[in-house]
Amino acid sequence: MTEDLIELDDELESGEGSEELYERVSIVADKGQEPLRIDKFLMNRVEGATRNKIQQACESGWVIVNDKPVKSNYKVKAFDKIVVMTTRNPENTDVIPEQMDLNIVFEDDDIMIINKQPGMVVHPGCGNYTGTLVNGLAWYLGGQTTEVTEPEIPRFGLVHRIDKNTSGLLVIAKSEKAMNDLAKQFFDHSVQRRYIALVWGDFEEDEGTVEAHVGRHQRFRKIMDAYPDGEYGKDAITHYKVLERFNYVTLIECRLETGRTHQIRVHMQHIGHSLFNDDTYGGDRILKGTVFNKYKQFVDNCFELMPRHALHAQTLGFIHPRTRQPIHFESPMPEDFKAVLEKWRRYISARPLED
C-alpha cells in the first residue's frame, strides 16, 4: 500500500509584487520506492498528466525535488519530496466581465501594464466577487460584453498582485507563454520592483535591510506576522532607503527581493515603523509625536486625506517575454499621497520639533 502523500491545489501565498508560483501537487515518495524516472513516476500519480507535459514542466523548472529543480530523467528514490509548480491560480471563482476604467500604461500582444488605483481589489474572492481588476480585464479582453462566458474570455494571467489599498503597477500576461516566462522571472527574483512608503518614526540610518520570514499570524489567521528566527513562514527580504524625513514620519523607498503577502507592511511593523494609516498593522493611530489636540487633529486630517495605508508600487522592470529586451515602467505618485506629503512638509517647516 502506497504511503505517498498527495495534496492538490494548495495555493502559495501572494502579495506585494509576489513572485510566487502555485503548488499544484506535493508528493512524498514511499519508503519502498524503486528508482524511477520522474516523468514516469508523475504520470502514474497525477490525474490527467501526460509525459510530454511533465517533461515541459521539468524544462521550465516547475518540478522540484528536495527543494531543487530536476530534469525529466531524474530518478525518484524513497522519501523524495516532490513538488510540481504551476502558474495557474487554483482559485475557481467565476469571473463576471464588468466595464470599468482601467489605467493601461502599456499593452502589446503579450503583456499589459496596469496602474492600479487604491481601493481596487485585484482578484475576486470571498466578499469581493465584483468590481475587481480581473472583472475589468475580463470585459476589456473578452469583447466588452457581459454575455461572454468564461471559456470564451481570452486567457490572461495575474503574475503578481498588490493589496487593495496599495496603488501602482501590475503586469498582466496575455498568453500562456508570457505567463510562464514572467512567473519564472518573479520566481528567480530578477524583476525590479520598488515601492514608496510613508512610515511612522525616524530612522537612525539612511538605508538598511529587513530579513525576517513572513507567514500567517499564529492567532489571527487573516493577517501576517514576521518570524525573524525563520521558525515559521517563508523567507522574505526588504531593502529600504530614506527619501525624506519629517521627524515623526519618514518617506522611504522599498526594494523587494522577495514578494510575500503584506511583506513591506509586516517588515516595517517588525522594525517599529508601521506604514502611515495602516489599520491592519497598527499604523492608523499616532505612533510618534505628541498627544496634544492640535497634533492629533493634524494627523487625523492626514488620515482623512489619505484613507488607506501609504504604499505605492512605483517601479516595475523585467525582460519582455517575447523580445527579450529589458523594459521599465514608472508610476507617478498618486494625488492622495502627494497631498499628505505636502501637508507634512508644511507642518514640519512651521513648527519646532516636539517630543
Side-chain angles (χ1 to χ4, degrees), residues 251-308:
L251 182 68
I252 63 173
E253 175 190 271
C254 293
R255 180 171 61 84
L256 290 179
E257 194 166 313
T258 57
R260 310 307 180 191
T261 303
H262 298 179
Q263 178 175 317
I264 294 174
R265 300 165 66 189
V266 170
H267 272 178
M268 288 301 109
Q269 181 196 43
H270 174 63
I271 63 173
H273 294 284
S274 293
L275 264 65
F276 190 74
N277 205 14
D278 189 340
D279 59 1
T280 301
Y281 296 101
D284 60 338
R285 59 183 184 273
I286 293 175
L287 299 182
K288 299 292 179 180
T290 74
V291 293
F292 297 146
N293 285 337
K294 286 187 178 180
Y295 178 73
K296 182 180 184 303
Q297 185 60 57
F298 165 77
V299 172
D300 286 341
N301 290 342
C302 288
F303 287 164
E304 188 173 337
L305 267 179
M306 191 178 191
R308 62 170 180 116

Side-chain angles (χ1 to χ4, degrees), residues 71 78 89 107 113 125 144 157 208 224 226 235 273 283 303 326 338 344:
K71 298 300 183 183
N89 191 328
E107 181 179 10
I113 304 297
Q144 302 184 359
M224 311 301 285
D235 65 301
H273 294 284
F303 287 164
K338 289 195 292 187
W344 272 105

Side-chain angles (χ1 to χ4, degrees), residues 25-304:
V25 178
S26 176
I27 302 172
V28 178
D30 66 30
K31 62 182 179 182
Q33 176 63 48
E34 296 288 337
L36 181 66
R37 281 179 58 113
I38 194 164
D39 50 0
K40 293 183 177 180
F41 177 89
L42 290 173
M43 276 183 61
N44 296 329
R45 286 164 173 77
V46 180
E47 184 178 356
T50 66
R51 191 170 183 180
N52 184 52
K53 286 183 178 179
I54 294 169
Q55 289 174 346
Q56 289 178 0
C58 289
E59 288 301 314
S60 298
W62 301 152
V63 179
I64 313 294
V65 178
N66 302 327
D67 299 323
K68 294 181 179 179
V70 298
K71 298 300 183 183
S72 54
N73 62 355
Y74 174 84
K75 297 290 183 66
V76 178
K77 58 185 181 297
F79 303 116
D80 272 350
K81 296 179 180 179
I82 303 162
V83 176
V84 181
M85 311 299 288
T86 178
T87 58
R88 190 159 313 286
N89 191 328
E91 294 172 343
N92 293 318
T93 306
D94 289 335
V95 176
I96 303 170
E98 293 181 67
Q99 185 175 10
M100 62 181 67
D101 290 330
L102 298 177
N103 186 350
I104 302 172
V105 176
F106 173 85
E107 181 179 10
D108 62 16
D109 291 339
D110 304 289
I111 62 172
M112 294 174 65
I113 304 297
I114 303 290
N115 188 20
K116 188 185 83 69
Q117 299 305 304
M120 175 181 282
V121 175
V122 171
H123 195 284
C126 182
N128 293 292
Y129 298 109
T130 62
T132 74
L133 175 62
V134 167
N135 295 115
L137 287 170
W139 173 278
Y140 180 81
L141 295 172
Q144 302 184 359
T145 171
T146 56
E147 300 302 320
V148 108
T149 60
E150 190 170 358
E152 294 173 327
I153 298 173
R155 300 175 84 90
F156 57 87
L158 293 174
V159 186
H160 62 132
R161 305 186 195 187
I162 55 179
D163 296 330
K164 172 184 177 181
N165 287 321
T166 301
S167 53
L169 297 172
L170 279 165
V171 57
I172 308 297
K174 293 175 62 177
S175 69
E176 192 76 18
K177 182 179 183 299
M179 183 68 184
N180 290 339
D181 188 281
L182 290 169
K184 189 66 163 60
Q185 291 187 54
F186 274 91
F187 190 72
D188 291 340
H189 305 160
S190 62
V191 177
Q192 300 171 8
R193 292 162 292 166
R194 285 183 171 81
Y195 290 68
I196 54 171
L198 186 66
V199 301
W200 281 104
D202 200 0
F203 290 78
E204 292 184 6
E205 65 286 341
D206 289 332
E207 56 186 75
T209 297
V210 185
E211 295 188 51
H213 280 208
V214 171
R216 292 289 172 189
H217 195 287
Q218 296 293 285
R219 290 182 58 198
F220 307 106
R221 302 299 292 174
K222 290 186 176 181
I223 66 173
M224 311 301 285
D225 202 1
Y227 299 90
D229 296 329
E231 73 278 15
Y232 186 70
K234 299 186 179 78
D235 65 301
I237 301 173
T238 304
H239 306 283
Y240 65 87
K241 181 172 68 174
V242 171
L243 299 179
E244 192 171 356
R245 300 175 186 270
F246 302 101
N247 299 332
Y248 312 110
V249 295
T250 305
L251 182 68
I252 63 173
E253 175 190 271
C254 293
R255 180 171 61 84
L256 290 179
E257 194 166 313
T258 57
R260 310 307 180 191
T261 303
H262 298 179
Q263 178 175 317
I264 294 174
R265 300 165 66 189
V266 170
H267 272 178
M268 288 301 109
Q269 181 196 43
H270 174 63
I271 63 173
H273 294 284
S274 293
L275 264 65
F276 190 74
N277 205 14
D278 189 340
D279 59 1
T280 301
Y281 296 101
D284 60 338
R285 59 183 184 273
I286 293 175
L287 299 182
K288 299 292 179 180
T290 74
V291 293
F292 297 146
N293 285 337
K294 286 187 178 180
Y295 178 73
K296 182 180 184 303
Q297 185 60 57
F298 165 77
V299 172
D300 286 341
N301 290 342
C302 288
F303 287 164
E304 188 173 337

